[in-house]
Amino acid sequence: MSETTQGSPARPSWRTRIAAALEARPHYLLLGLVAVIALFVMPLNVWVSLTVAGLAMGLILFVVSSGMTLIFGLMGVLNLAHGAFITVGAYIGASVFLMLAGWPALAAVSQALLIIPAALATLAAAALLGLVFERVFIKPVYDDHLRQILVTVGGAIIIAELIVVFWGAHEIPLPRPDVLRGAFVFGGVAFEKYRLFAVGVGLAVYWGMLAVIQYTRVGLLIRAGVENGEMVQALGYRIKLLFIAVFAAGTALGAFGGVLWGFYEELIHIEMGEHLLVDVIIVIIMGGLGSITGCFYSALVVGLLTNYMGFVAPTFSEFSSIVLMVLVLMWRPQGLIPVVKV
Amino acid sequence: MMHRLLSGDYPRSAVLSTLVVVIVLALAFAPFLFPGPLAYRTYSSICLFTMLVLSYDILLGYTRIISFAHAMFYGIGAYAMAIALRDIGPNWTAMAVGMTAGLTTALAVAFVIALFSLRVRAVFFALVTLAVAVGFMTLVSKLYTFTGGEDGIAFQVPFVLGPGYTFTESPVPGFDLVGFLGSGDLAGSVFDVRTSGALLVYYVLFVAAIGVFLALLRMMNSPFGRVCQAIRENEFRAEALGYRTVVFRTINVCISAMIAAFAGALAAVSLRYISPDAVLSFDLMVNILLMTVIGGMGTLYGAIVGTTLFVLAETYLQSLLALAHDASAPLPLLAAMLDPERWYLWLGVLFVLSVYFFPRGIVGQLRARARRRAHRRATTDAANPPQNPSETPG
């Protein structure tokens, strides 16, 4: 657990060391705590498969939430239409995938490969949608939280209704490709293939984002913009362009997460984004608004907790993450990893 | 008299005064002017939503606290009343127990939420209330043995409040206003109004709505209300002047939650059936937000105007869309957008446009117009010294 990860050369008493560890790495502690407590209340093989399921759910949640938290961190815009973008993403991805899968010329191609063009199409379409949304809805109301919230709620209504106009109100089944279906058994524990796939994709997105933010010029500007947007502007960068780019990217990430979630549930429907938005909000509050790393760890915690509670006390599985959020907020009102450190 | 009743906070616009008077008069005689169960539901829900929107306005409009848990408090009141009436039986004790339980629960929940989320940034409160409200909703649908789950609860109210009871032997005559305006048939527009318990419940709602309106006008024009407005304008300065803003905001959240729960309890009595969709859903919350903003934040008068327009639009915009839908049949996509089921799409568009162009809502717009006109009259008429228009909140 995290107490041992934080060594100190001066060898202070274990009490101060625990306090220091709590202060420096609250996310490890929380993650460890949730996983270890769960280990005591269920058999080991159940725990392992629930952990994998929880990690998969957590990483999809991360992909979905990271866009929203990034947008908030950089621009201070609380985009409540993010849930609608998740739904749009799932619909676009599913339509492209089902269209390609039904095309006789592509029958020979493995269906799993078709996910790639579907995901790319989703990313492109959602980025475009985000661009338009930023120009039309957000741009007139920068620096006004109340009107941002109102406008994005209105935008969410409009997008949700337009989805019904274009795709209809019925649910669309979205079967996974054969390669990603089923599970393989290892040491008495069944691992679902799609969950492992989701874990891989999620980790790739996380590391990719960290790399962009850490090592590229755009990332440098984003970090600087989160810390002090005016100063970035004063140094001669057009921060408005950065805003547009980040908004488009954040929207695209949300939509991509929607596709992942659609394949996870093998079903897409109008309200999926709205349902997911609650978890997204819990994740970004708990992680610290604007923080990518915080978002990552709190997404994992929420994913794990939801899955463990689903086994222990199904009635409270959804409520448990809210209780956890309340507890975390009482402990650290700014979230696990406060804003400035992206 | 009028000054005391309205706490010195007048509509400050001739159009608005007329509008409010017309709405209040229409509601006062509604059962005798608009026959039929659909109309009964419409004017009952105007009264209920007015209370709900009024209590939301003191949060959003006067103190700039964005809460997404208002529908939850409404639901808490409604569920407490429903569960009490179901488990204790249809009598007055049950109603008293239900009302007390609803108000206390709402107060306790609001206090806890305020305690841990009002200390930090304003957007936090919005997000936390959103999460808690949705969590509460899933809890209600999961604990179905207690709450009835998705199916909701149907229950009986005391006999006097039910539709089966009548006060007078013979029905009272009513006059169908809409029917008369449509047909011009004076004698044919007279209809019978049964003085049933449902009628009594409606008047309870009406009196409660008026009472809540006047009480909140009083509250928001008191020193307490002034501090709330100061917090809205500049929290830092309010704090620097020595007001403990957290205390004021917490009190405000608690009062607002209790009024919402009160409205919810009355809603349960009026509807005699509740379900998560009807009293808890996120759609309801969005509707409250729409009504508050369209009417005009921070005015309280906006709640009356906004709610009435919204509820009427909900009923009649759909029939208007049906006409447009039939007319646009050759263009399938446009027709799909004009489908009466899609009225919410157009409401969303209207809402976004009104946030851009009329951020102060209908009431703010009317007051600004009245002010401009008064100003013009004052400047053109040299005999009168130009009078300084009083500051409008909102």
Side-chain angles (χ1 to χ4, degrees):
Chain A
M1 274 192 49
S2 65
E3 284 95 306
T4 52
T5 59
Q6 179 81 351
S8 171
R11 295 222 155 267
S13 74
W14 60 273
R15 209 180 266 209
T16 43
R17 277 166 60 191
I18 289 177
L22 276 176
E23 205 45 53
R25 305 238 190 290
H27 43 292
Y28 289 166
L29 177 92
L30 197 63
L31 206 56
L33 214 60
V34 168
V36 170
I37 291 175
L39 192 53
F40 287 109
V41 292
M42 58 186 74
L44 185 67
N45 60 333
V46 176
W47 182 84
V48 173
S49 59
L50 283 183
T51 305
V52 174
L55 290 178
M57 186 184 161
L59 282 159
I60 296 176
L61 258 182
F62 164 72
V63 174
V64 169
S65 321
S66 54
M68 188 164 165
T69 202
L70 195 60
I71 290 170
F72 183 84
L74 184 65
M75 316 186 227
V77 172
L78 195 62
N79 181 19
L80 288 179
H82 201 73
F85 288 130
I86 298 170
T87 320
V88 170
Y91 272 87
I92 295 174
S95 320
V96 173
F97 176 77
L98 292 174
M99 194 184 76
L100 291 177
W103 218 1
L106 290 171
V109 183
S110 160
Q111 286 212 333
L113 287 178
L114 296 181
I115 290 185
I116 297 168
L120 289 179
T122 309
L123 284 172
L128 193 69
L129 190 66
L131 204 81
V132 174
F133 193 81
E134 198 271 349
R135 289 287 94 183
V136 178
F137 285 79
I138 312 277
K139 192 186 153 220
V141 291
Y142 274 120
D143 315 316
D144 187 344
H145 275 303
L146 175 67
R147 284 171 78 196
Q148 275 166 13
I149 287 178
L150 298 179
V151 161
T152 52
V153 166
I157 294 175
I158 295 174
I159 295 173
E161 290 289 316
L162 283 178
I163 293 174
V164 181
V165 170
F166 283 105
W167 277 282
H170 53 90
E171 298 169 335
I172 300 179
L174 182 63
R176 286 174 210 158
D178 290 333
V179 185
L180 295 173
R181 211 174 286 167
F184 49 80
V185 182
F186 183 79
V189 186
F191 293 98
E192 250 189 66
K193 286 177 192 165
Y194 186 74
R195 289 179 180 164
L196 296 176
F197 172 75
V199 169
V201 173
L203 285 176
V205 169
Y206 175 55
W207 284 321
M209 274 179 87
L210 279 191
V212 167
I213 284 176
Q214 213 63 251
Y215 300 117
T216 65
R217 187 140 193 93
V218 176
L220 184 77
L221 286 176
I222 290 175
R223 272 182 294 151
V226 169
E227 208 145 324
N228 192 334
E230 259 178 32
M231 194 56 93
V232 174
Q233 231 171 343
L235 288 172
Y237 293 99
R238 296 216 308 218
I239 200 159
K240 289 277 154 63
L241 281 182
L242 195 64
F243 281 8
I244 300 173
V246 168
F247 199 92
T251 312
L253 274 174
F256 179 62
V259 180
L260 285 180
W261 189 252
F263 277 114
Y264 189 80
E265 301 258 277
E266 297 196 271
L267 185 76
I268 56 174
H269 54 96
I270 302 295
E271 283 166 353
M272 60 183 288
E274 214 175 291
H275 287 175
L276 218 49
L277 187 65
V278 181
D279 279 333
V280 169
I281 285 174
I282 293 172
V283 163
I284 65 175
I285 293 181
M286 219 160 66
L289 281 168
S291 152
I292 297 291
T293 327
C295 175
F296 179 73
Y297 286 101
S298 65
L300 290 186
V301 171
V302 168
L304 287 176
L305 187 70
T306 311
N307 276 280
Y308 294 145
M309 286 304 274
F311 177 76
V312 180
T315 314
F316 297 100
S317 67
E318 277 146 349
F319 202 66
S320 59
S321 42
I322 291 169
V323 174
L324 184 73
M325 176 192 75
V326 170
L327 294 177
V328 168
L329 279 185
M330 284 173 158
W331 171 34
R332 295 173 78 92
Q334 300 289 333
L336 290 175
I337 303 173
V339 185
V340 205
K341 299 181 221 157
V342 172
Chain B
M1 171 72 182
M2 206 60 185
H3 191 82
R4 272 198 82 89
L5 262 182
L6 296 180
S7 315
D9 189 357
Y10 293 102
R12 291 201 293 283
S13 154
V15 183
L16 179 60
S17 312
T18 323
L19 213 55
V20 170
V21 167
V22 167
I23 291 172
V24 171
L25 280 181
L27 285 178
F29 298 103
F32 301 96
L33 294 175
F34 311 106
L38 180 68
Y40 177 79
R41 218 175 314 140
T42 308
Y43 50 71
S44 300
S45 51
I46 290 179
C47 288
L48 285 170
F49 284 140
T50 301
M51 278 187 269
L52 201 52
V53 173
L54 281 168
S55 59
Y56 193 61
D57 197 25
I58 66 170
L59 283 186
L60 183 69
Y62 280 88
T63 327
R64 215 39 111 241
I65 298 173
I66 309 163
S67 162
F68 282 103
H70 213 63
M72 178 182 83
F73 293 120
Y74 184 70
I76 287 176
Y79 267 91
M81 184 60 95
I83 290 169
L85 282 170
R86 183 193 62 188
D87 291 350
I88 303 177
N91 52 46
W92 301 108
T93 329
M95 285 185 67
V97 170
M99 183 62 91
T100 322
L103 292 183
T104 357
T105 315
L107 177 66
V109 174
F111 186 69
V112 171
I113 295 179
L115 211 59
F116 70 83
S117 55
L118 277 183
R119 289 181 300 157
V120 282
R121 318 171 54 161
V123 281
F124 249 67
F125 193 76
L127 292 177
V128 169
T129 48
L130 181 58
V132 171
V134 175
F136 185 81
M137 197 159 75
T138 57
L139 206 59
V140 164
S141 51
K142 289 266 180 79
L143 294 171
Y144 48 83
T145 46
F146 185 55
T147 60
E150 297 285 336
D151 297 333
I153 308 173
F155 52 91
Q156 302 222 308
V157 293
F159 183 63
V160 178
L161 300 178
Y165 181 82
T166 46
F167 293 98
T168 49
E169 287 295 310
S170 55
V172 179
F175 183 74
D176 181 359
L177 195 63
V178 181
F180 172 67
L181 292 177
S183 64
D185 181 7
L186 197 62
S189 301
V190 177
F191 68 100
D192 289 341
V193 182
R194 266 188 63 235
T195 53
S196 66
L199 192 75
L200 180 67
V201 172
Y202 170 69
Y203 277 103
V204 171
L205 295 185
F206 177 70
V207 172
I210 297 279
V212 167
F213 174 66
L214 295 179
L216 288 184
L217 264 189
R218 180 64 265 169
M219 185 173 129
M220 281 306 146
N221 287 291
S222 69
F224 175 84
R226 298 280 174 232
V227 176
C228 286
Q229 289 170 52
I231 294 172
R232 172 188 68 194
E233 297 304 329
N234 191 331
E235 193 188 343
F236 185 67
R237 266 189 219 173
E239 187 106 49
L241 285 172
Y243 295 107
R244 298 192 48 192
T245 53
V246 177
V247 175
F248 280 89
R249 292 200 294 175
T250 307
I251 293 174
N252 206 352
V253 168
C254 291
I255 290 176
S256 160
M258 283 173 77
I259 295 172
F262 173 71
L266 292 183
V269 175
S270 161
L271 299 170
R272 298 192 299 278
Y273 163 74
I274 57 165
S275 67
D277 268 350
V279 295
L280 270 178
S281 67
F282 190 65
D283 291 345
L284 177 65
M285 185 60 240
V286 173
N287 288 353
I288 297 172
L289 195 66
L290 296 184
M291 289 186 253
T292 313
V293 174
I294 291 173
M297 288 178 280
T299 57
L300 291 178
Y301 287 96
I304 300 176
V305 180
T307 309
T308 309
L309 277 182
F310 184 90
V311 175
L312 291 181
E314 196 173 13
T315 324
Y316 300 105
L317 187 66
Q318 296 189 45
S319 28
L320 203 70
L321 278 177
L323 285 178
H325 175 62
D326 294 341
S328 65
L331 301 162
L333 190 64
L334 188 66
M337 283 164 101
L338 290 172
D339 193 285
E341 293 270 300
R342 299 276 75 73
W343 75 281
Y344 219 61
L345 169 68
W346 299 103
L347 198 75
V349 173
L350 270 181
F351 174 66
V352 171
L353 290 178
S354 71
V355 172
Y356 286 152
F357 299 111
F358 314 110
R360 293 182 167 189
I362 298 169
V363 170
Q365 214 58 31
L366 288 177
R367 281 182 175 173
R369 228 184 63 168
R371 247 200 328 268
R372 270 202 307 276
R373 202 180 274 174
H375 186 69
R376 211 178 304 136
R377 206 178 308 139
T379 43
T380 47
D381 192 359
N384 286 347
Q387 57 196 71
N388 212 11
S390 59
E391 196 56 46
T392 6

